[in-house]
């Protein structure tokens, strides 16, 4: 049994109750980790720390930086259990609410859709995903939920919870980097093989060598949000905007919330265009590709070059300054 068991999830009362039951069942101390605690080097017990704190069950607060909390204290050695309330799992992934409504400007916890983003991340980082209150949900809905979670994290053990001891009985894989558990990473690596499947749940890998026209991409995102290709739940990957040449961006979306953030400037060796994985319900891969392909540059636009691209209408949020590797025309 791993030394540290971290309990994740955005449903605070249910997560806390499950953490308490787990601590009692395993006769381990229960530690509560909240956002403010991450400033402390002892926030999450490290597997090599003294036994009194290392063998612990840790309840990770709803707005905790999950990646930092897990990775900095053992990473793959931590058993990360995501608690899902079956009564509103899909709703959590479509929630437009912030994690903390009163957060200061610049704090990403105040972003629109930040709660949904945290819900998706908790699923993607987990070694096992357990459902509570599943008895109150129809079987067909449970099948969709479990398949969706398995698509978002193909390596996780998925289970309808009966009690913590039973939930932890089977062996869960904890090899490799925790960020490599996410379904979108598996999809981009052409190795996406979810354990649970349902006819309504699909993951699609989209590739396009041409950069996006920013205004047409904005319109395409609105169409996809309106259901033009089905109900998109989660997408992530890498993209390029023609109006911001030489910059590779991270594409991340959950529910109706979207983030396009620059990773850095490069010389194009990291890929010319788009590589994005989409997971959702009742998706149509051809319709999805059609909507996104129309946002890519046309032959004429592509031939006009970066100087012309810089003049495109660009309604997307501005990025922090990133030095481009594209040579200046005057050089």
């Amino acid at each position: 049994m791993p030394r540290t068991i971290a309990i994740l999830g955005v449903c605070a009362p249910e997560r806390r109750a499950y953490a308490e039951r787990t601590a009692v069942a395993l006769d381990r101390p229960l530690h509560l980790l909240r956002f403010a605690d991450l400033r402390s080097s002892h926030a999450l017990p490290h597997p090599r720390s003294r036994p009194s704190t290392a063998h612990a069950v840790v309840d990770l607060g709803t707005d905790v930086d999950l990646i930092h909390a897990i990775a900095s204290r053992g990473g793959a050695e931590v058993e990360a259990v995501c608690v899902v309330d079956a009564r509103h799992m899909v709703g959590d992934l479509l929630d437009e609410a912030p994690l903390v409504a009163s957060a200061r400007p610049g704090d990403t916890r105040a972003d629109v859709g930040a709660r949904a983003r945290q819900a998706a991340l908790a699923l993607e980082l987990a070694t096992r995903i357990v459902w509570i209150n599943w008895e109150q949900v129809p079987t067909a809905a449970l099948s969709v939920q479990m398949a969706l979670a398995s698509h978002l994290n193909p390596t996780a053990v998925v289970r309808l919870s009966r009690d913590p001891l039973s939930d932890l009985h089977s062996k869960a894989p904890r090899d490799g980097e925790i960020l490599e558990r996410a379904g979108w990473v598996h999809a981009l690596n052409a190795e996406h093989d979810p354990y649970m499947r349902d006819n309504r749940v699909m993951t699609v890998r989209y590739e396009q060598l041409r950069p996006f026209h920013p205004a047409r991409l904005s319109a395409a995102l609105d169409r996809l949000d309106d259901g033009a290709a089905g109900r998109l739940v989660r997408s992530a990957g890498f993209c390029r905007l023609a109006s911001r040449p030489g910059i590779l961006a991270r594409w991340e979306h959950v529910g109706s919330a979207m983030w396009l953030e620059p990773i850095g400037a490069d010389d194009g060796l990291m890929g010319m265009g788009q590589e994005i994985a989409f997971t959702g319900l009742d998706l149509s891969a051809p319709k999805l590709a059609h909507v996104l392909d129309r946002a890519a540059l046309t032959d004429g636009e592509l031939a006009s070059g970066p100087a012309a691209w810089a003049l495109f209408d660009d309604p997307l949020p501005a990025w922090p300054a990133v030095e481009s590797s594209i040579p200046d025309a005057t050089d």
Side-chain angles (χ1 to χ4, degrees):
M1 183 70 68
R3 292 188 176 185
T4 300
I5 299 176
I7 311 299
L8 297 67
V10 294
C11 301
E14 291 82 2
R15 185 196 65 243
R16 173 68 182 275
Y18 187 90
E20 291 173 346
R21 294 199 305 273
T22 303
V24 170
L26 297 178
D27 191 24
R28 293 190 179 196
L30 174 64
H31 293 263
L32 308 180
L33 179 62
R34 300 300 179 253
F35 181 79
D37 300 331
L38 288 177
R39 297 179 181 274
S40 168
S41 61
H42 302 291
L44 184 61
H46 191 280
R48 294 185 177 84
S49 61
R50 63 183 186 276
S52 61
T53 58
H55 293 79
V57 175
V58 184
D59 174 31
L60 299 187
T62 303
D63 63 339
V64 162
D65 181 339
L66 298 177
I67 296 175
H68 173 76
I70 296 173
S72 66
R73 302 299 176 180
E77 298 177 40
V78 175
E79 183 77 85
V81 182
C82 179
V83 178
V84 172
D85 190 328
R87 297 171 298 182
H88 46 75
M89 173 194 168
V90 176
D92 289 338
L93 290 169
L94 301 177
D95 194 348
E96 295 186 14
L99 268 174
V100 179
S102 59
R104 296 178 179 179
D107 188 333
T108 57
R109 296 178 300 159
D111 287 353
V112 173
R115 189 174 186 277
R117 191 184 202 182
Q118 188 82 335
L121 185 60
L123 290 166
E124 292 172 345
L125 293 176
T127 54
R128 61 186 75 228
I129 303 167
V130 299
W131 275 258
I132 61 172
N133 298 320
W134 55 270
E135 305 91 340
Q136 304 175 36
V137 177
T139 301
L142 280 176
S143 174
V144 169
Q145 289 188 23
M146 298 182 79
L148 183 56
S150 194
H151 274 252
L152 294 177
N153 184 341
T155 67
V157 172
V158 294
R159 181 181 177 87
L160 300 178
S161 179
R162 297 188 182 277
D163 63 82
L165 283 180
S166 298
D167 296 343
L168 293 166
H169 179 71
S170 59
K171 184 178 180 180
R174 290 191 299 276
D175 298 328
E177 298 292 332
I178 62 173
L179 293 177
E180 295 178 356
R181 296 171 183 166
W184 68 268
V185 176
H186 285 253
L188 296 190
N189 289 335
E191 53 188 24
H192 190 261
D193 186 21
Y195 176 72
M196 298 289 292
R197 297 175 182 269
D198 185 275
N199 289 336
R200 293 193 60 202
V201 183
M202 179 185 295
T203 294
V204 176
R205 178 181 175 179
Y206 174 77
E207 293 181 290
Q208 168 62 257
L209 290 177
R210 302 184 179 199
F212 284 130
H213 185 294
R216 293 205 299 273
L217 175 60
S218 180
L221 294 175
D222 288 339
R223 290 196 63 203
L224 293 176
D225 190 42
D226 289 339
R231 176 71 268 184
L232 290 176
V233 175
R234 170 70 160 154
S235 63
F238 307 96
C239 70
R240 292 182 184 275
L241 301 178
S243 55
R244 309 176 194 189
I247 300 174
L248 182 68
R250 167 74 187 277
W251 171 298
E252 186 175 14
H253 142 267
V254 188
S256 294
M258 182 77 190
W259 295 265
L260 287 176
E261 301 169 339
I263 296 175
D266 66 81
D267 56 6
L269 296 178
M270 297 175 69
M272 289 297 294
Q274 333 303 332
E275 190 176 11
I276 309 164
F278 294 84
T279 296
L281 306 178
D282 308 314
L283 292 186
S284 167
K287 290 181 180 178
L288 177 65
H290 176 71
V291 171
L292 291 173
D293 284 348
R294 291 185 64 183
L297 295 190
T298 65
D299 290 346
E301 289 169 339
L302 186 66
S304 66
W309 304 346
L311 302 177
F312 288 162
D313 177 30
D314 188 341
L316 298 172
W319 290 341
V322 177
E323 185 178 350
S324 173
S325 62
I326 301 296
D328 190 282
T330 60
D331 289 347

